[in-house]
Amino acid sequence: MTITSPHLGSPSAWTDARLLFALEEVVETELNRHLKVAKDWMPHEYVPWSDGRNFPGLFEDGEAWGKEQSKVTDIGRVALVVNLLTEDNLPSYHHEIASLFGRDGAWGTWVHRWTAEEGRHGIVMRDYLLASRAVDPDALERFRMSHMSEGFESDNRHSMLHSVAYVAFQELATRISHRNTGHQSGDPVCDRMLARIATDENLHMVFYRNLLKAAFELAPDLTMQAVRDVVVDFRMPGHGIPGFERAAAQMAIGEVYNLRIHHDDVLQPVLRFLKIMEIDGLGPEGLKAQEELGVYMGGLDSEAAKFDERLAARKARMAARAAG
């Protein structure tokens, strides 16, 4: 398939508007593929409603939350709050991608479909957390108000290509974070719920990853620079959550999301699929970006190795303490 158009002019003159137009056919193809493979599911079917009971407030028989009521592990509780608060900022995410991609044609259909699917994630997670008493509901609501009151502005809102590159990695990062949270939660119900969410996130990643591949065929130098910038400066969308750095450190130690996972399970799979280091025919700026990306990934792998050593040493100390 040819995705260039005779009226678009020189590739050196690509603008967001021209790229959006040139990629519309790819978006339509990927949207149709997505709709064929995506399965509808009901959030309420994943919630243990029979575990629920009243909290204090309007109900005189309400029972205050206590940590001992939670079935999930300490690290599961931390990660669940971070993951839910990240999902909560969906209105800001929708505003950003609708502004960048538009609300018309295949782009607009995808934007609204993606938003509808993401909306389920916040619904089912909050219902699970409240019904199962997994977290302090008052603290959760205060965090939500604080986080959403700040809004969200992506580091990549200046460029359509940067935004596509970012979400290709970010959707996979979110999938991995949800899946590992489920594994570490200690609650099979939670694990099943997050596995369902992770399946959606993986399909979203595939959409953006395939779109990014098409962008490389169309504007390889610009796309390579966008990927380099996104990978080097990558931040999760929940970085503005109150206490995020402390929570991120706990999630790293708890093996929900850390440098090794980021390198091996998020960045590398997408870069391998794109065959990023094998792309040729690049101009000077594209070649520079490709080389810098390779150097960065090598450095990140070294940093991840150091983290692995520290984590192994920590586990050994804890095991020795438990044995003694």
Side-chain angles (χ1 to χ4, degrees):
M1 178 183 67
T2 302
I3 55 178
T4 53
S5 168
H7 1 301
L8 295 177
S10 165
S12 63
W14 286 121
T15 62
D16 275 5
R18 289 183 171 191
L19 285 164
L20 286 165
F21 177 81
L23 288 167
E24 177 93 20
E25 184 182 342
V26 181
V27 172
E28 184 174 3
T29 298
E30 288 302 313
L31 172 63
N32 290 335
R33 181 199 53 76
H34 176 85
L35 294 175
K36 284 179 182 177
V37 298
K39 290 181 170 43
D40 274 342
W41 55 280
M42 302 298 135
H44 56 268
E45 294 178 357
Y46 287 81
V47 178
W49 298 106
S50 60
D51 290 351
R53 51 198 187 276
N54 295 338
F55 289 102
L58 294 178
F59 302 99
E60 292 183 5
D61 61 340
E63 181 184 353
W65 183 82
K67 185 177 176 182
E68 71 284 352
Q69 298 166 4
S70 177
K71 294 179 181 178
V72 302
T73 59
D74 289 344
I75 185 58
R77 193 157 47 250
V78 170
L80 279 163
V81 170
V82 169
N83 291 354
L84 175 56
L85 292 178
T86 300
E87 299 284 357
D88 274 335
N89 244 341
L90 182 60
S92 290
Y93 309 149
H94 174 84
H95 174 74
E96 285 226 342
I97 66 170
S99 299
L100 274 167
F101 301 155
R103 294 174 172 83
D104 301 319
W107 281 104
T109 302
W110 167 254
V111 166
H112 297 308
R113 173 72 189 201
W114 174 87
T115 302
E117 291 184 4
E118 288 287 342
R120 286 177 176 153
H121 303 168
I123 290 169
V124 71
M125 288 181 70
R126 176 166 280 100
D127 286 348
Y128 164 80
L129 293 179
L130 296 180
S132 67
R133 292 187 168 240
V135 303
D136 181 346
D138 293 346
L140 182 65
E141 178 58 13
R142 284 193 292 270
F143 281 143
R144 188 191 71 84
M145 285 296 296
S146 175
H147 184 44
M148 292 194 68
S149 295
E150 291 294 320
F152 173 81
E153 286 191 341
S154 168
D155 297 330
N156 303 288
R157 62 190 179 279
H158 62 286
S159 157
M160 188 275 283
L161 272 182
H162 281 72
S163 295
V164 170
Y166 176 73
V167 288
F169 293 105
Q170 182 267 320
E171 292 283 5
L172 183 52
T174 304
R175 171 192 178 269
I176 296 296
S177 182
H178 282 311
R179 201 68 195 93
N180 287 344
T181 298
H183 292 328
Q184 301 288 354
S185 69
D187 181 8
V189 175
C190 180
D191 194 23
R192 284 195 297 271
M193 172 195 66
L194 291 176
R196 178 58 260 185
I197 292 174
T199 299
D200 281 1
E201 303 289 12
N202 197 63
L203 291 178
H204 297 165
M205 178 276 293
V206 170
F207 177 94
Y208 287 117
R209 183 197 65 185
N210 292 352
L211 188 56
L212 189 58
K213 182 179 180 182
F216 265 112
E217 297 173 14
L218 189 67
D221 288 287
L222 290 176
T223 307
M224 185 66 76
Q225 292 172 71
V227 170
R228 183 265 322 273
D229 294 345
V230 164
V231 168
V232 170
D233 296 322
F234 186 87
R235 295 196 295 174
M236 289 293 272
H239 61 79
I241 292 170
F244 177 77
E245 289 188 4
R246 182 170 186 272
Q250 291 173 294
M251 290 168 69
I253 293 169
E255 298 182 86
V256 172
Y257 200 94
N258 56 38
L259 278 179
R260 175 53 62 201
I261 292 168
H262 183 61
H263 178 277
D264 290 1
D265 300 337
V266 177
L267 298 183
Q268 284 284 34
V270 176
L271 296 177
R272 271 198 307 268
F273 174 84
L274 296 171
K275 298 181 179 177
I276 205 90
M277 303 311 294
E278 299 171 31
I279 294 173
D280 54 16
L282 296 167
E285 290 301 314
L287 284 170
K288 179 185 176 189
Q290 187 181 49
E291 181 182 347
E292 289 176 349
L293 187 58
V295 170
Y296 176 80
M297 289 299 293
L300 184 63
D301 189 35
S302 296
E303 288 300 312
K306 293 175 186 175
F307 174 82
D308 291 342
E309 291 174 6
R310 293 195 298 270
L311 185 59
R314 184 180 187 276
K315 286 180 179 179
R317 286 196 303 272
M318 291 180 69
R321 210 171 291 147

